[in-house]
Amino acid sequence: MRLSLTIGLLQINPTVGAVAANAAGLAAAYERAWDRGAELVVAPELALSGYPPEDLVRRAAFLDRIDAALTDLARLTKNGPALAVGAPRRRVGDDGVCHCANAIVVMEGGAIVAERDKVHLPNYGVFDEARVFAPGPPPLPVTIAGHRVGLMICEDMWYPDVALHLKENGAEILVVPNGSPFETDKQGMRPAHARARVAATGLPLVYVNQVGGQDELVFDGASFVLNAGGDEVLRLPSWSAHEALAEFAAVDGGLSALPGEMAPLPDPWESLYRALLTGLCDYIEKNRFPDIILGLSGGIDSAIAAALAVDALGAERVTCVMMPSPYTSDESLEDAAAVAGLLGCRLETIGIGPAMEAFAAMLAPHFAGRAANEAEENIQSRARGLALMALSNKLGPMVLATGNKSEMSVGYATLYGDMCGGFAVLKDVYKTEVFALSRWRNAHRPADALGPLGPVMPERVITKPPTAELKPDQKDEDSLPPYVRLDAILARLIEGEQAPEEIVREGFPAAEVERVWRLLNGAEYKRRQSPPGVKTTRLAFGRDRRYPITNGFRD
């Protein structure tokens, strides 16, 4: 077979808004692909601006900088291969009004030779592209290296019309630049949509996704190539930047994808752990925080959060603080020290007893005649939050919040206490998943992790009953259903969007379902004030699931 087309795939990690740095990275990757023999080099969706740029595309100065960077990149192609780069572009409509398009810009021979705009603009979940972009017309193929290349951007692969239009107009291959965020159940969705487009058109398909974290979103890469029969013949690694060549041979008047590298797919727990690791690492590094500080209680949530911090940044950039109260057990003190020892990070101790006494004295005249309740318990949590924020302000590290999705769902968290921080790495992870992740990390270390080999927490941290230790002999299950049942109900209410009566029909106790539903609705005002965190599920709090705080509707 005669080798007919070689495409360089750039699975890269851009930073939103860092146009000059993104352009420099694209230029360097382009030259590496050129050296390896690429005839077309493809970068992900909006790779030049970073994805998603949100309202940055409303700023003329930002778009001016994009235009200048595209001009510079085009010059690189004067004697080299073609380059296709995702970028926001201004368009003047028939009404004379200037709009912005989510475009793929093709450069060849030292100039911009073609542009194609995204047709289907997602407007659900974390996506609100219809608010800032105008849709493009059905695209026509672009001739590159003597072949008719059909370019369609991300969401356009989710629908049949764009691929069919390209096929009808002579496309020989489909190339799909993407900015597709990770979700735990999404791994099989992209190849399924791609295979549907291949089956309908009989054309091979190249899918190029980005990697990295952007605020609450994480991108897992896993770019791939399908041959005209729908078989996956090339797959890039998940969770790491990577560059590769996809080669195509001329066969029977068409293009046939040749076998290439096939990176293994990570198992679900590795994917979830690396999603959290990627999101945390890029949030810290791209926002230029020097270090992380977090409260280490001796419990499982703070233990796995500390492990993620050390794996992301290295032990020397992580400080843990144990803040005991009179209710803190010796077991918790021992377990916190053991976690810090296994991770190799600093452990400071700041007792909050004096703060509790000071607040008790201050508030005594106002609390007189009333029995102690959650108010006194929450003072402890807020004293700890205050101490961590004071250390952050004085010394510079970002406070890492350690709460999980189960707690966020039902309000089992204290505003301005354990909810304070710059980032909540477990925000979209249920408690039962925290247990599973902890066991996974004790047995495995990701290849790119900076933390230790071997266990990162004692077995007792995983097996002991969870407790906030805000009063004597307190256990989480004093206030909540067992986490196995709680999480099963929450997953049905949140991700499943089921009505309470449907869940009861599945065999869950009616009173328990009603109580969880009430707690979920009542905690919306708390969640609105929580820090950002890594989105891993289909419906994460914040960007996905947005219920009104003032809400008189009840099922």
Side-chain angles (χ1 to χ4, degrees), residues 310-330:
V310 170
D311 280 344
L313 304 181
E316 69 282 356
R317 294 178 63 187
V318 178
T319 298
C320 297
V321 185
M322 177 47 150
M323 293 169 283
S325 78
Y327 307 120
T328 301
S329 66
D330 290 341

Side-chain angles (χ1 to χ4, degrees), residues 67-157:
D67 293 346
L70 285 170
T71 299
D72 291 341
L73 287 170
R75 290 193 189 102
L76 296 178
T77 69
K78 185 171 184 179
N79 298 305
L83 173 62
V85 172
R89 294 289 273 167
R90 281 173 277 219
R91 304 279 185 255
V92 177
D94 295 337
D95 55 3
V97 176
C98 186
H99 306 282
C100 193
N102 179 341
I104 189 77
V105 181
V106 181
M107 294 160 269
E108 191 174 27
I112 294 172
V113 296
E115 301 187 34
R116 297 294 183 264
D117 298 344
K118 193 172 184 176
V119 177
H120 295 286
L121 300 174
N123 199 42
Y124 56 85
V126 301
F127 305 106
D128 57 358
E129 289 190 34
R131 191 173 67 87
V132 294
F133 292 121
L140 295 174
V142 180
T143 300
I144 303 171
H147 292 282
R148 300 280 285 167
V149 177
L151 293 163
M152 54 189 203
I153 302 170
C154 197
E155 192 83 0
D156 290 347
M157 190 183 78

Side-chain angles (χ1 to χ4, degrees), residues 373-541:
N373 63 3
E374 292 86 357
E376 285 82 2
E377 294 180 29
N378 289 337
I379 284 170
Q380 298 170 56
S381 181
R382 290 180 177 128
R384 291 180 172 120
L386 183 91
L388 289 172
M389 289 306 300
L391 291 168
S392 175
N393 290 163
K394 181 64 72 174
L395 305 175
M398 187 202 76
V399 175
L400 183 65
T402 62
N404 60 63
K405 188 169 187 173
S406 305
E407 296 168 350
M408 293 281 189
S409 297
V410 296
Y412 195 66
T414 303
L415 270 177
Y416 325 120
D418 57 321
M419 287 179 67
C420 79
F423 198 71
V425 69
L426 303 175
K427 184 178 180 179
D428 203 26
V429 181
Y430 287 112
K431 185 77 169 191
T432 47
E433 294 176 314
V434 169
F435 286 114
L437 275 179
S438 298
R439 291 198 180 281
W440 183 88
R441 180 57 183 88
N442 264 0
H444 306 86
R445 185 187 72 169
D448 51 353
L450 301 178
L453 290 166
V456 294
M457 67 185 74
E459 180 68 13
R460 184 170 69 180
V461 171
I462 301 174
T463 58
K464 67 185 179 183
T467 172
E469 289 193 322
L470 299 176
K471 62 183 180 181
D473 300 319
Q474 185 180 40
K475 300 291 184 291
D476 288 5
E477 289 186 9
D478 297 340
S479 305
L480 300 172
Y483 279 113
V484 170
R485 286 210 308 275
L486 174 64
D487 289 355
I489 294 170
L490 287 172
R492 286 163 171 79
L493 289 171
I494 299 168
E495 286 84 16
E497 298 183 278
Q498 293 180 237
E501 56 268 27
E502 294 179 76
I503 302 171
V504 171
R505 286 197 294 270
E506 291 185 33
F508 291 89
E512 199 165 82
V513 172
E514 167 60 25
R515 180 164 175 263
V516 172
W517 180 226
R518 180 167 42 82
L519 290 170
L520 176 65
N521 289 326
E524 186 64 36
Y525 79 101
K526 285 189 178 183
R527 291 191 290 271
R528 291 288 184 94
Q529 300 178 68
S530 64
V534 184
K535 167 186 162 62
T536 62
T537 67
R538 188 179 68 82
L539 281 178
F541 294 127

